[in-house]
C-alpha cells in the first residue's frame, strides 16, 4: 500500500484521573494523551470464537496489558502470562471446513483444531518457517523457509522440499579434453591388455547402476542478483509462481542530521529517496513441476500496455519521443489468486505509472493472460480496496470478486472468469471501505458510509447480489471484527467527542451492542466537549463539501475565525467518529471557548467521497483543495457573521502545505497561518505518494511549479508561523529551511520559524506539542482580534 502524507494514527489513551477540567488551556490539553484515557486496541477473536482479546490500559498507569472478554457474560479479565504463552495466533490459514487453522509463531508451525480446542506444534527448528497454507487436498501443509517451499504431510509426517531456489546454478565441472597423444595411448592400452578391457567394462556397469540408483535431483532455479519474493504453489501442486525484482541503479537517498544525541556528536539518519527516483522492475515466473520448465508470465500482450498518459499532450516533444519509442510500460503483478481446485488463476496487475489496474485470467501452462477487467484512470488508480489482492478472490471455481471505482465510487464486482461476464453488486454515491467473504462463500460482509459520508456501518449482501442489510446501529464510527464462527461482532466504536470503546453485538440486524470498556477519564468527561455540527456547502464548482463547525457561545467582538486543515490529503476527518486529530479537536474547542468560529473541512482530495473528489487535485495541489478553504471562509462570512479580515488557518503536513499556499496565493483571505511540518516543494517529497498526483518533476514540471509553495512565497502579506521537527523523516527539515532562505532573499519580515530538535514528523513530546500550539494561539490572538 502507498504512504499517506501526515497520516498520524494517534490512538487516544484512557485514564481514571479524578480532577475536574474547568477550563481549557494549551498545557492541559497537550499533555501526554493518557490523561484522556487509553482506548482498547489490537482487538482479536480467539479461534474458537469464545473470547475477544485486546490490549488495554484501564487505569492510564502506562502499563498496557492483555485482557479478554467472552460474549454472553461480558466480563473483562486480565489474561495470565501462562494463557498468553499458550494462545494460538489470531492470524493464519483456515481449512475449507473452518475446523483447523495453520499458523506460524516465532518461526515455527502450529496446527489448531477447533473441536478439540487444541494447538499442536508441527516444527521446532532454528530455521524460520512461515506463510503456511493447506494444500489443495488438505493432506499437507505448504510453508516457506528461506524463500523455498516445503510440504509437510499431516498424516505421515513426511517432509518434502518443493523448490530449490539458488543464487547461482551449480558449476558443471568437467575435466579438460585429453590431447591426441593421450587419446592414442589410452586406445593402445585398451587394445593390448585384457585386464584393462575388463576394468573398463566393470566401470561402465558400475556407472550405469549408480546412475539408476541415484535419486532425482530437485531442479535448481537460479535468480542471480535479483530479489526473490511472492513464492506460492497452486492448489493442485503443479505450478509454482514467484517474482524476481531488479533493484534500480542510481537511487540517492536523503540524510537527516540528528543534533541532540547521546554521543554529543551530530549523527546522520539515513532517509528516503525523492520523487522521480529510478524504480525497481519485476517479472513474475511460473515453474511447471510436471514439465520441469520455467517461463515468465507474458505481459507484452496486456491491452493498453503501450498507452501513454494524457498529460504528455502538454509536452509535445516528449510525447513524440515516447510514441517513437513505443515501449511497454513497466508493470507489477501484485498477486496470483487460485480457485480451490486449482483449475483457474487470476492475477492483479498494476502499471508502475499507476494509470492502470488489470484483472486477468492466467493460463499457467503457457504464461499467457486474458483480460477480465481493466481500470484506467488518467489521474491515478486508488480508492478503498482497489488493486488489493486482500480484497479479491474466488467465490467458487468460476466467479471472482474484486472492487472497482468504475462507477465513480468503490463498489463490489463479480466476474465469471470463463465467460468474462461482469456484475456490479453494490452501487450508490458511497464507498465500500472493507470487504470480507463469509466462510460458506454465500455472503459478503462490508463496511460502508451509506447513511452519511461521515458514518460507517457494517453490512451484508448475498454474493449473487440483492439488497444490502445494515447490521450495526450506533451512529458514529464502527470498526468491526467478525468472529471466526461469524456469530458475533467485536466493535470498536467512537463518536465525535468520545474516544474508542469496545462493544460486543450478535451478528444480527437490530441486535443490541453491549459496551464492554469504559476508558475515558473523569477529567475528560468533566468538560462539555462540543459535538461539532457537521454541515455541507457547495464549492464554486457545485460540489458538496462537508465540514465540522465549532461555534462559540459568545463570539469575540473582532468576530475572528480559524480554518483547520487536516493532513494526509487522502484522509477523512469530517466524521461522527473520534478524530485522528484529537489534539486539534481539543484545540478547536479551546478556540471556540475564546470567541473564535472554527471550520474543519474535508476538502477536495479527502477520502470517503468517491473518485472525482479523490483525484480533484491531479496535477495541481493547492488548487481545488485550497479554493474549498476559501469557499468555506465565504460561508463563515455570509452565514456566521465572521469578519473577513480576521481569518486564520493552520494544519500539519498536508495541512501545513495548504496553510502555506493559502498565505502565499490568497493573502487577502487569510491574515495569519500556522504551518506545521509542511511540504514546501513537492519535488523534494517521496516518490510513492507524489508521483501519483503530480507525475515526475522531469516529466511534468508544470504540475510541480503550480503545486509547490516555494514558487509563490513572494505573495506573503499576513503573519506566517512555520513549525517543523528537525529530525522529520517524512517531510525533511531541509524542506522548511529551503523556504526560509527563499523568504530571506525576498526580504519578507512577517514570518517566524520554530524548530523542534528531537521531533520526527509526528511529535511525541508533550512539551513540543504544548510549545507549538501556544505559539499558534499567540499568533491568532495577536493578529485576528485587532
Amino acid at each position: 500500500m502507498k504512504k499517506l502524507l501526515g497520516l498520524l494514527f494517534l490512538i487516544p489513551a484512557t485514564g481514571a484521573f479524578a480532577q475536574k477540567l474547568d477550563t481549557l488551556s494549551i498545557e492541559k490539553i497537550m499533555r501526554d494523551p493518557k490523561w484522556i484515557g487509553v482506548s482498547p486496541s489490537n482487538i482479536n477473536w480467539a479461534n474458537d470464537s469464545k473470547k475477544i482479546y485486546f490490549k488495554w490500559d484501564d487505569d492510564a498507569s502506562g502499563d498496557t496489558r492483555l485482557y479478554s472478554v467472552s460474549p454472553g457474560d461480558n466480563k473483562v479479565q486480565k489474561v495470565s502470562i501462562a494463557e498468553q504463552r499458550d494462545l494460538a495466533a489470531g492470524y493464519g490459514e483456515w481449512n475449507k471446513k473452518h475446523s483447523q487453522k495453520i499458523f506460524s509463531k516465532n518461526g515455527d508451525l502450529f496446527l489448531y483444531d477447533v473441536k478439540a480446542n487444541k494447538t499442536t506444534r508441527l516444527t521446532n527448528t532454528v530455521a524460520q518457517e512461515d506463510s503456511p497454507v493447506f494444500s489443495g487436498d488438505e493432506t499437507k501443509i505448504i510453508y516457506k523457509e528461506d524463500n523455498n517451499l516445503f510440504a509437510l504431510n499431516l498424516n505421515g509426517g513426511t517432509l518434502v522440499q518443493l523448490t530449490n531456489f539458488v543464487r547461482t546454478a551449480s558449476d558443471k565441472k568437467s575435466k579438460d579434453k585429453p590431447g591426441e597423444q593421450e587419446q592414442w595411448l589410452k586406445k593402445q592400452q585398451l587394445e593390448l591388455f585384457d585386464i584393462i578391457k575388463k576394468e573398463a567394462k566393470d566401470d561402465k556397469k558400475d556407472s550405469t547402476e549408480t546412475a539408476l540408483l541415484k535419486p532425482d535431483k530437485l531442479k535448481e532455479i537460479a535468480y542471480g542478483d535479483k530479489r526473490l519474493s511472492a513464492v506460492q504453489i497452486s492448489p493442485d501442486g503443479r505450478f509454482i509462481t514467484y517474482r524476481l525484482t531488479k533493484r534500480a541503479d542510481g537511487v540517492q537517498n536523503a540524510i537527516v542530521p540528528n543534533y541532540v544525541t547521546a554521543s554529543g556528536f551530530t549523527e546522520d539518519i539515513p532517509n528516503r529517496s525523492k520523487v522521480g527516483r529510478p524504480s525497481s522492475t519485476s517479472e513474475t515466473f511460473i515453474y511447471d513441476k510436471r514439465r520441469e520448465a520455467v517461463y515468465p508470465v507474458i505481459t507484452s500482450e496486456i491491452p493498453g500496455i503501450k498507452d501513454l498518459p494524457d498529460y504528455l499532450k502538454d509536452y509535445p516533444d516528449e510525447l513524440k519521443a515516447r510514441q517513437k519509442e513505443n515501449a511497454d510500460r513497466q508493470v507489477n503483478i501484485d498477486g496470483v489468486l487460485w480457485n480451490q481446485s486449482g483449475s483457474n488463476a487470476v492475477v492483479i496487475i498494476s502499471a508502475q505509472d499507476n494509470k492502470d489496474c488489470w484483472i486477468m485470467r492466467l493460463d499457467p501452462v503457457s504464461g499467457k493472460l486474458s483480460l477480465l477487467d481493466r481500470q484506467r484512470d488518467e489521474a491515478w488508480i486508488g480508492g478503498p480496496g482497489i488493486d488489493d489482492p486482500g480484497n479479491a478472490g474466488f467465490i467458487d471455481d468460476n466467479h471472482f470478486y474484486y472492487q472497482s471505482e468504475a462507477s465513480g465510487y468503490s463498489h463490489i464486482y463479480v466476474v465469471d472468469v470463463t465467460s468474462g461476464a461482469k456484475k456490479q453488486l453494490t452501487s450508490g454515491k458511497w464507498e465500500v471501505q472493507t470487504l470480507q467473504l463469509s466462510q460458506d462463500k454465500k455472503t459478503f460482509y462490508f463496511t460502508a458510509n451509506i447513511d452519511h459520508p461521515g458514518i460507517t456501518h457494517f453490512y451484508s449482501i448475498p454474493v449473487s447480489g440483492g439488497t444490502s442489510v445494515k447490521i450495526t446501529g450506533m451512529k458514529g464510527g464502527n470498526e468491526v471484527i467478525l468472529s471466526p464462527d461469524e456469530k458475533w461482532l467485536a466493535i470498536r466504536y467512537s463518536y465525535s467527542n468520545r474516544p474508542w470503546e469496545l462493544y460486543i453485538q450478535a451478528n444480527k440486524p437490530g441486535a443490541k451492542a453491549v459496551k464492554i470498556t469504559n476508558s475515558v477519564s473523569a477529567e475528560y468527561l468533566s468538560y462539555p466537549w462540543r459535538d461539532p455540527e457537521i454541515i455541507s456547502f457547495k464549492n464554486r464548482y457545485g460540489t458538496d463539501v462537508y465540514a465540522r463547525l465549532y461555534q462559540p457561545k459568545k463570539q469575540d467582538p473582532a468576530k475572528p475565525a480559524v480554518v483547520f486543515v487536516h493532513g494526509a490529503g487522502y484522509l477523512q476527518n469530517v466524521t461522527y467518529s473520534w478524530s485522528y486529530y484529537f489534539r486539534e479537536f481539543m484545540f478547536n474547542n479551546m478556540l471556540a471557548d475564546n470567541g473564535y468560529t472554527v471550520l474543519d473541512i474535508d476538502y477536495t482530495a479527502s477520502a470517503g467521497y468517491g473518485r472525482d473528489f479523490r483525484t480533484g487535485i491531479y496535477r495541481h495541489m493547492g488548487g481545488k483543495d485550497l479554493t474549498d478553504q476559501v469557499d468555506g471562509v465565504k460561508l463563515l462570512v455570509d452565514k456566521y457573521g465572521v469578519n473577513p479580515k480576521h481569518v486564520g488557518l493552520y494544519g500539519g503536513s498536508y495541512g501545513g502545505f495548504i496553510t502555506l499556499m493559502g498565505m502565499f496565493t490568497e493573502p487577502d483571505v487569510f491574515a495569519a497561518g500556522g504551518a506545521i511540518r509542511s511540504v514546501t516543494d513537492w519535488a523534494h517529497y517521496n516518490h510513492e505518494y507524489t508521483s501519483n498526483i503530480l507525475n515526475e518533476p522531469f516529466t511534468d514540471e508544470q504540475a510541480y511549479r503550480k503545486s509547490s509553495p516555494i514558487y509563490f512565497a513572494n505573495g506573503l502579506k499576513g503573519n506566517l508561523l512555520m513549525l517543523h521537527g528537525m529530525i522529520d523523516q517524512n517531510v525533511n527539515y531541509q524542506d522548511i529551511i529551503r523556504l526560509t532562505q527563499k523568504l530571506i532573499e525576498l526580504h519578507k519580515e512577517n514570518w517566524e520559524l520554530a524548530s523542534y530538535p528531537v521531533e520526527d514528523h509526528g511529535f511525541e513530546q508533550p512539551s513540543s506539542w504544548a510549545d507549538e500550539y501556544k505559539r499558534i494561539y499567540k499568533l491568532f490572538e495577536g493578529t485576528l482580534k485587532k
Side-chain angles (χ1 to χ4, degrees):
M1 294 299 292
K2 297 163 183 71
K3 188 174 183 179
L4 296 181
L5 175 62
L7 180 53
L8 307 179
F9 290 94
L10 301 174
I11 304 302
T14 52
F17 293 88
Q19 66 189 90
K20 187 175 176 62
L21 190 65
D22 296 314
T23 58
L24 299 182
S25 70
I26 301 294
E27 293 290 354
K28 287 180 180 178
I29 63 180
M30 296 299 166
R31 286 174 286 165
D32 185 321
K34 284 197 297 290
W35 78 267
I36 303 170
V38 181
S39 293
S41 61
N42 297 95
I43 299 168
N44 286 292
W45 283 93
N47 288 317
D48 61 2
S49 302
K50 293 181 179 179
K51 284 185 179 181
I52 299 169
Y53 293 99
F54 59 97
K55 294 287 184 70
W56 195 29
D57 182 2
D58 62 330
D59 58 3
S61 64
D63 183 14
T64 301
R65 294 174 289 268
L66 186 65
Y67 289 80
S68 69
V69 62
S70 298
D73 66 19
N74 299 329
K75 293 180 180 178
V76 175
Q77 296 180 326
K78 291 180 182 177
V79 179
S80 68
I81 296 298
E83 184 179 351
Q84 290 185 49
R85 190 185 305 116
D86 295 335
L87 279 179
Y91 51 87
E93 183 84 11
W94 289 95
N95 64 357
K96 296 170 188 175
K97 293 182 178 179
H98 227 71
S99 59
Q100 291 183 318
K101 186 183 204 179
I102 183 69
F103 62 93
S104 63
K105 186 175 180 181
N106 300 323
D108 286 311
L109 303 181
F110 296 81
L111 182 69
Y112 173 75
D113 186 277
V114 174
K115 187 175 181 180
N117 192 25
K118 180 182 178 183
T119 300
T120 303
R121 186 176 197 138
L122 301 181
T123 64
N124 189 356
T125 71
V126 295
Q128 291 288 313
E129 293 108 11
D130 57 40
S131 307
V133 296
F134 287 94
S135 62
D137 59 8
E138 298 189 343
T139 62
K140 306 177 188 68
I141 300 299
I142 311 295
Y143 68 91
K144 280 196 290 188
E145 179 185 318
D146 193 26
N147 269 328
N148 273 308
L149 290 181
F150 293 80
L152 178 63
N153 194 305
L154 285 173
N155 299 322
T158 305
L159 179 64
V160 178
Q161 185 169 344
L162 302 177
T163 62
N164 185 22
F165 290 106
V166 294
R167 282 281 180 190
T168 307
S170 300
D171 292 332
K172 295 180 179 180
K173 296 181 179 179
S174 59
K175 293 181 180 180
D176 293 336
K177 186 177 180 180
E180 291 183 3
Q181 180 192 22
E182 295 173 37
Q183 292 182 53
W184 187 90
L185 290 174
K186 186 175 181 180
K187 181 181 177 182
Q188 183 194 43
Q189 294 293 90
L190 193 61
E191 177 187 342
L192 292 175
F193 303 106
D194 291 341
I195 186 64
I196 299 294
K197 293 178 183 177
K198 184 177 182 302
E199 288 176 351
K201 184 178 180 180
D202 291 343
D203 286 347
K204 185 176 181 181
K205 180 181 177 183
D206 290 345
S207 177
T208 302
E209 290 179 351
T210 300
L212 290 172
L213 292 171
K214 190 176 181 180
D216 293 336
K217 185 179 179 182
L218 193 60
K219 180 181 176 64
E220 287 185 345
I221 304 175
Y223 58 95
D225 59 354
K226 296 179 181 178
R227 183 169 64 88
L228 171 67
S229 63
V231 182
Q232 61 184 106
I233 192 168
S234 62
D236 61 8
R238 176 177 173 180
F239 300 102
I240 291 168
T241 57
Y242 60 97
R243 182 168 58 231
L244 296 182
T245 303
K246 182 180 180 181
R247 185 176 179 179
D249 296 326
V251 178
Q252 183 174 352
N253 291 332
I255 293 173
V256 176
N258 186 5
Y259 293 93
V260 181
T261 63
S263 68
F265 292 91
T266 301
E267 298 173 4
D268 290 337
I269 302 172
N271 194 232
R272 57 167 173 80
S273 59
K274 298 188 179 186
V275 61
R277 54 99 174 108
S279 296
S280 300
T281 57
S282 67
E283 275 189 287
T284 295
F285 290 84
I286 302 168
Y287 168 39
D288 184 344
K289 294 185 66 183
R290 184 183 301 172
R291 296 182 294 164
E292 289 199 342
V294 174
Y295 44 96
V297 174
I298 300 168
T299 59
S300 59
E301 298 175 3
I302 293 175
I305 191 67
K306 297 180 185 293
D307 287 359
L308 298 175
D310 283 355
Y311 81 85
L312 286 176
K313 294 174 183 175
D314 290 346
Y315 305 93
D317 291 343
E318 176 67 16
L319 176 60
K320 187 176 180 180
R322 294 273 292 273
Q323 288 173 334
K324 184 178 180 180
E325 183 183 10
N326 197 31
D328 290 353
R329 285 183 289 158
Q330 292 293 331
V331 298
N332 298 316
I333 296 180
D334 300 315
V336 180
L337 302 169
W338 294 88
N339 62 6
Q340 284 191 353
S341 67
S343 60
N344 276 317
V346 169
V347 294
I348 299 176
I349 306 173
S350 57
Q352 278 198 2
D353 64 12
N354 216 12
K355 307 293 186 196
D356 274 287
C357 171
W358 297 271
I359 295 176
M360 306 193 77
R361 184 179 181 182
L362 170 66
D363 175 10
V365 175
S366 65
K368 290 186 176 182
L369 300 167
S370 54
L371 185 67
L372 297 174
D373 184 84
R374 178 186 180 186
Q375 296 180 60
R376 170 77 177 182
D377 198 317
E378 284 297 338
W380 73 97
I381 297 292
I386 309 298
D387 74 5
D388 182 359
N391 282 64
F394 279 91
I395 299 171
D396 53 37
D397 271 359
N398 291 315
H399 292 90
F400 186 84
Y401 71 90
Y402 60 98
Q403 285 179 245
S404 168
E405 272 189 330
S407 69
Y409 293 80
S410 181
H411 283 295
I412 307 170
Y413 290 75
V414 174
V415 61
D416 186 316
V417 299
T418 302
S419 69
K422 283 182 283 192
K423 182 178 182 180
Q424 182 178 347
L425 263 60
T426 59
S427 62
K429 294 184 177 181
W430 47 270
E431 293 186 327
V432 173
Q433 298 180 348
T434 67
L435 180 60
Q436 178 179 346
L437 181 62
S438 65
Q439 296 171 27
D440 61 11
K441 299 194 174 186
K442 294 180 179 180
T443 304
F444 285 118
Y445 291 105
F446 63 95
T447 303
N449 55 351
I450 298 175
D451 289 356
H452 182 278
I455 299 173
T456 55
H457 279 298
F458 193 63
Y459 297 84
S460 67
I461 189 172
V463 296
S464 57
T467 304
S468 300
V469 177
K470 183 166 70 174
I471 300 173
T472 53
M474 296 182 290
K475 179 181 178 180
N478 292 275
E479 297 178 355
V480 176
I481 304 98
L482 187 63
S483 63
D485 63 7
E486 299 181 356
K487 294 179 180 179
W488 295 94
L489 312 179
I491 306 172
R492 194 166 175 265
Y493 169 80
S494 72
Y495 190 69
S496 304
N497 56 5
R498 291 292 183 270
W500 300 93
E501 300 286 7
L502 174 62
Y503 288 73
I504 297 178
Q505 177 188 323
N507 184 17
K508 297 176 182 178
K512 183 182 178 181
V514 178
K515 188 177 182 181
I516 301 301
T517 61
N518 287 288
S519 308
V520 185
S521 70
E523 183 181 7
Y524 177 85
L525 293 173
S526 69
Y527 176 82
W529 299 99
R530 288 168 178 79
D531 177 3
E533 181 184 358
I534 292 187
I535 63 171
S536 66
F537 61 92
K538 296 282 187 184
N539 67 13
R540 65 190 63 186
Y541 304 103
T543 303
D544 288 323
V545 175
Y546 288 81
R548 281 182 167 188
L549 178 67
Y550 301 76
Q551 294 192 72
K553 291 181 180 178
K554 183 179 180 182
Q555 191 177 46
D556 185 89
K559 300 179 180 179
V562 169
V563 177
F564 166 62
V565 189
H566 72 67
Y570 189 64
L571 175 145
Q572 188 175 9
N573 199 49
V574 181
T575 68
Y576 284 96
S577 57
W578 185 248
S579 173
Y580 296 122
Y581 295 93
F582 64 92
R583 290 185 177 90
E584 288 73 14
F585 161 78
M586 294 187 291
F587 183 60
N588 292 341
N589 269 268
M590 194 191 92
L591 288 172
D593 285 351
N594 287 275
Y596 294 86
T597 302
V598 182
L599 194 65
D600 169 6
I601 301 172
D602 266 350
Y603 49 88
T604 298
S606 296
Y609 303 96
R611 182 266 169 196
D612 290 349
F613 208 76
R614 175 179 68 79
T615 62
I617 57 169
Y618 178 58
R619 299 188 70 204
H620 191 187
M621 300 158 93
K624 290 182 178 180
D625 44 2
L626 176 59
T627 56
D628 284 349
Q629 319 294 334
V630 176
D631 294 344
V633 172
K634 186 178 186 301
L635 175 75
L636 293 179
V637 173
D638 293 346
K639 187 173 181 179
Y640 298 98
V642 163
N643 187 328
K645 296 186 181 298
H646 293 166
V647 180
L649 79 167
Y650 81 100
S653 199
Y654 199 99
F657 153 71
I658 289 292
T659 299
L660 292 176
M661 290 295 274
M663 294 299 293
F664 295 164
T665 68
E666 297 285 353
D668 296 327
V669 176
F670 301 107
I676 310 167
R677 48 187 177 272
S678 318
V679 174
T680 71
D681 185 347
W682 286 107
H684 291 260
Y685 194 54
N686 71 32
H687 184 85
E688 293 77 11
Y689 180 91
T690 320
S691 63
N692 284 339
I693 306 172
L694 301 181
N695 303 306
E696 295 170 313
F698 51 87
T699 60
D700 197 1
E701 186 176 353
Q702 293 176 21
Y704 283 82
R705 286 187 171 273
K706 285 190 295 186
S707 303
S708 297
I710 199 166
Y711 291 107
F712 302 97
N714 196 43
L716 178 63
K717 291 182 181 178
N719 292 276
L720 173 63
L721 171 64
M722 302 179 294
L723 312 102
H724 215 105
M726 293 178 70
I727 56 171
D728 192 329
Q729 296 176 58
N730 185 359
V731 181
N732 297 157
Y733 186 62
Q734 180 195 24
D735 227 32
I736 205 69
I737 292 301
R738 293 176 71 249
L739 179 59
T740 299
Q741 178 60 27
K742 188 66 178 177
L743 291 170
I744 292 170
E745 293 179 4
L746 291 169
H747 304 287
K748 297 292 182 179
E749 297 179 354
N750 49 335
W751 60 272
E752 293 182 12
L753 171 62
S755 301
Y756 297 87
V758 300
E759 297 296 353
D760 198 339
H761 195 63
F763 283 21
E764 294 185 359
Q765 300 303 317
S767 57
S768 299
W769 281 103
D771 184 88
E772 69 173 346
Y773 277 95
K774 281 191 288 187
R775 292 177 186 273
I776 293 171
Y777 184 65
K778 182 180 178 181
L779 169 72
F780 292 156
E781 287 283 283
T783 56
L784 305 183
K785 288 187 174 181
K786 288 184 179 180

